[in-house]
């Protein structure tokens, strides 16, 4: 009796919990819908080209499916039209370079594997009905194993991975189905032609309707990364040396201080963008075979600078802080070092994004270097005899890291000046010399430039804005 | 006359250059063949599992192509057998997790899109021959646009990207070819079944023949990264404080000093491995739904430590070097800090790779912390009154960065101890306490442990060796 009542209690408990869950469901569902809606809106607003990309894919697919609906087209291709649809789905990528790369890989691999597959088919055909499947199996095994292993080669992996996949696919399909079908050449021909049509539809739409060039993305990413570093240095100077005013847009400052963190992990994004960009024809101010590797070099130097900033940022949050007195001694030199480096980086970033040779970057760099020199003589002076080394240590570390950053900035400037896209550019003649009191009307709706209005160069050019989410370029 | 002789000269020049090139060709070709052979051998020897993977793909493909050769099988599936071959080619990946993820994505997406496609087909069928293609086109456009946009969502991108691709593909193919074919359910059914067979063949072979588990790869990568950091610290200590003996395996030392550089950019590799690992069933000492995120946390802390090492490494190559006298003052404390941290990291790495709770990591960490404390009191002392701050700066920076690294090591140790795979583990009871004079017979053929034989824990366990090329896990 007791047990059954316990059972009853348990089952009532389960039921009431179930009821509660059921009651809570509409609310949970509503929240989920609202969240999804919000994410969708954010992703679309972050980069409206994503919405356009989705529409482009839909349109291309609909166009290609005309092969089925329109009788004369269907009469000549029949079921092979399926391959055009498949090609569109798998080849159409976010950037032109990725689409072109996949399209060319698919086309060439199909051509090559088709020819080899037909050859294999005839070879196996000669050997008689019994041995034919054995020979075919052997060839399929051999090419699959070799091509799969080749996909481990780093250079091949970077550019021809998809081509090898399609090679295995086509060779296997052609040589295997040749066992059943006699009109194998007809089949290979129809398939190649429909793949060609699907691939060219993708490439055309991708190039001519609101194109997203991987090269330009890489270009903007590198430029944006330089600006992130500049923002960090300016925010760091403010945070470390000045008493921050409360109520002063705290979130913006955190964003500026943490912007460099995206730079730390940008290597894989940069490399894949450069790989895609290599497929792209000349566009805008870039030629075909633009030396994208140079951009990767700038990227590597940028990251090296960012690693120093990570160490500097740790100093900002460290338990061991220099006293205000000690800070005030090094303030002038260190402020000049970080602000001048920041200006140089900023101008290099703007120069990249507007593709105009930087005018004053060299001036800023020599300013920062002379600030570093005066810091050195300051450190040599007898000012420090009174204090023990431990209390100077944090300030000394900051000074040393800033010196490193000044050196990094100089290296970055050299690499940027060697970029071929800048080498051909005219110098901006209308630009005014750096003027710390001047303000610019841009930057109103861009939190990234709020404290940078001191700088004379316009910070939010359309190019730099178009790359506003470097994380997502990974998605192309 | 002059012109024609000039022409003649030019053409002779072209011909002789052509001849030279032709003569040089066999040599160039020979070199290329030799180079390719060498690369192939290296890639195979680096990780023999790659060769096995290639053979596995070949065998699976050959097995699945039996559908064509064996008459009874062909009678029931016909041309749909093609889908089994296609599935094997595109689904079979290097690691079990990646294969499972793709297989499940493909299967579920085909099922869902097939059902929706058939539904759409019947809906459009009701509307009559004229409106049907318009309605079908509209549906194809709509689903392609929505699904393509959904691929931009970060969470969906990480796990279901391939599923969405297959969804677009299947929905388009089914609803479009439904316009021409009447036995659409029959077709969808056959296709689903062959995809199921192809997918399960991949998953079976991938799991049961020499499996490569993404989870284990991640586990070894994290452990190897910890060891790289430890190696750097030991090599740094040697390089910075001791007079290096000439002829002392220089290459090995460079390898040890630069090992941490792989850690700097390991984020994307770790994340993709964790994504794959989430698909894997329980294996070895890992359960299904093992909290792989915890490993990513350790990875993040490891990278943060590596950023400090980058700054420390810059000090090693800096123009401004501390004098031997100054170095000798801080040597004892700094050596202890780096060596004890190195031992702690080393032991944490070994603990991860052998999955045994580290015994002495805490001891090493408290040793390094007390060394940091004695460094602090050394810095406070009056030893420094005589010297100017500039000449102390390099040493002070090294000291400060080492203090940061000691703090990082402690954080890493905490994160590693929280790893669920370690929480359940028994403590090694047979381990001996740290003994600096003891030597181990391992490490003979492994350059990574040459200078680490002071440590009592065996350094080259099979697990740590199996992950010897973390670069390449990117390729899974």
């Amino acid at each position: 009796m007791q047990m059954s009542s316990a059972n009853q209690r348990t089952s009532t408990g389960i039921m009431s919990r179930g009821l509660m869950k059921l009651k809570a469901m509409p609310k949970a569902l509503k929240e989920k819908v609202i969240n999804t809606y919000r994410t969708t809106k954010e992703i679309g607003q972050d980069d409206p080209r994503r919405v356009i990309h989705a529409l482009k894919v839909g349109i291309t697919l609909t166009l290609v499916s005309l092969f089925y609906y329109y009788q004369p087209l269907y009469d000549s291709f029949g079921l092979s039209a399926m391959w055009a649809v498949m090609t569109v789905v798998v080849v159409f990528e976010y950037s032109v370079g990725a689409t072109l790369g996949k399209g060319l890989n698919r086309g060439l691999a199909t051509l090559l594997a088709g020819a080899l597959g037909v050859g294999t088919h005839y070879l196996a055909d000669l050997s008689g009905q019994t041995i034919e499947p054995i020979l075919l199996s052997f060839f399929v095994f051999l090419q699959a194993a070799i091509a799969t292993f080749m996909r481990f080669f780093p250079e091949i992996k970077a550019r021809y991975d998809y081509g090898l996949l399609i090679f295995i696919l086509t060779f296997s399909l052609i040589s295997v189905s040749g066992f059943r079908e006699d009109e194998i050449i007809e089949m290979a021909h129809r398939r190649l032609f429909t793949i060609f049509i699907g691939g060219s539809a993708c490439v055309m739409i991708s190039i001519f309707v609101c194109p997203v060039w991987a090269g330009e993305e890489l270009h903007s990413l590198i430029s944006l990364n330089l600006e992130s570093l500049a923002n960090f240095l300016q925010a760091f100077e403010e945070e470390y040396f000045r008493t921050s005013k409360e109520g002063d847009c705290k979130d913006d400052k955190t964003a500026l201080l943490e912007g460099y963190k995206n730079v730390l992990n940008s290597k894989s994004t940069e490399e894949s963008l450069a790989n895609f960009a290599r497929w792209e024809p000349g566009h805008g101010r870039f030629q075909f075979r633009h030396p994208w590797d140079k951009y990767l070099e700038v990227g590597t130097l940028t990251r090296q600078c960012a690693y120093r900033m990570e160490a500097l940022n740790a100093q900002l949050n460290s338990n061991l802080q220099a006293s205000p007195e000690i800070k005030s001694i090094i303030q002038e030199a260190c402020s000049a070092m970080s602000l001048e480096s920041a200006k140089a980086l900023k101008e290099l970033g703007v120069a990249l994004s507007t593709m105009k040779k930087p005018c004053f970057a060299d001036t800023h760099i020599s300013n920062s270097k002379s600030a570093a020199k005066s810091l050195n003589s300051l450190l040599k002076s007898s000012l420090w005899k009174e204090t023990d080394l431990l209390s100077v240590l944090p300030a000394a570390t900051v000074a040393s890291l800033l010196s490193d950053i000044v050196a990094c900035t100089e290296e970055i400037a050299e690499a940027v000046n060697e970029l071929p896209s800048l080498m051909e550019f005219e110098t901006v003649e209308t630009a005014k010399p750096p003027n710390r009191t001047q303000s610019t009307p841009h930057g109103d709706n861009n939190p990234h430039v709020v404290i940078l209005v001191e700088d004379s160069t316009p910070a939010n050019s359309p190019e730099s804005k178009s790359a506003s989410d470097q994380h997502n370029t990974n998605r192309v």
Side-chain angles (χ1 to χ4, degrees), chain A residues 268-284:
Chain A
S268 54
T269 311
E270 284 170 17
E271 279 179 355
S272 66
L273 282 178
N275 271 331
F276 295 149
R278 283 193 194 103
W279 292 105
E280 289 175 353
H283 59 277

Side-chain angles (χ1 to χ4, degrees), chain A residues 95-164:
Chain A
S95 70
V96 176
T99 310
L100 255 174
K102 270 198 158 179
L104 286 176
N105 261 311
R106 189 177 180 103
L108 293 177
T110 307
L111 194 65
L112 193 67
L116 278 177
V118 170
T120 312
H121 165 69
Y122 282 113
L123 200 73
D125 218 18
L126 292 176
S127 62
Q129 198 68 24
T130 341
I131 307 180
E132 189 182 353
I134 299 172
L135 250 182
L136 281 177
S137 298
F138 174 70
F139 283 128
V140 166
F141 170 79
L142 199 69
Q143 62 88 24
I146 292 176
T148 304
F149 187 74
M150 278 171 74
R151 291 175 72 194
F152 286 113
F153 285 62
E155 301 86 27
I156 292 177
K157 175 89 190 163
R159 300 200 69 187
Y160 307 109
D161 189 56
Y162 186 66
L164 279 170

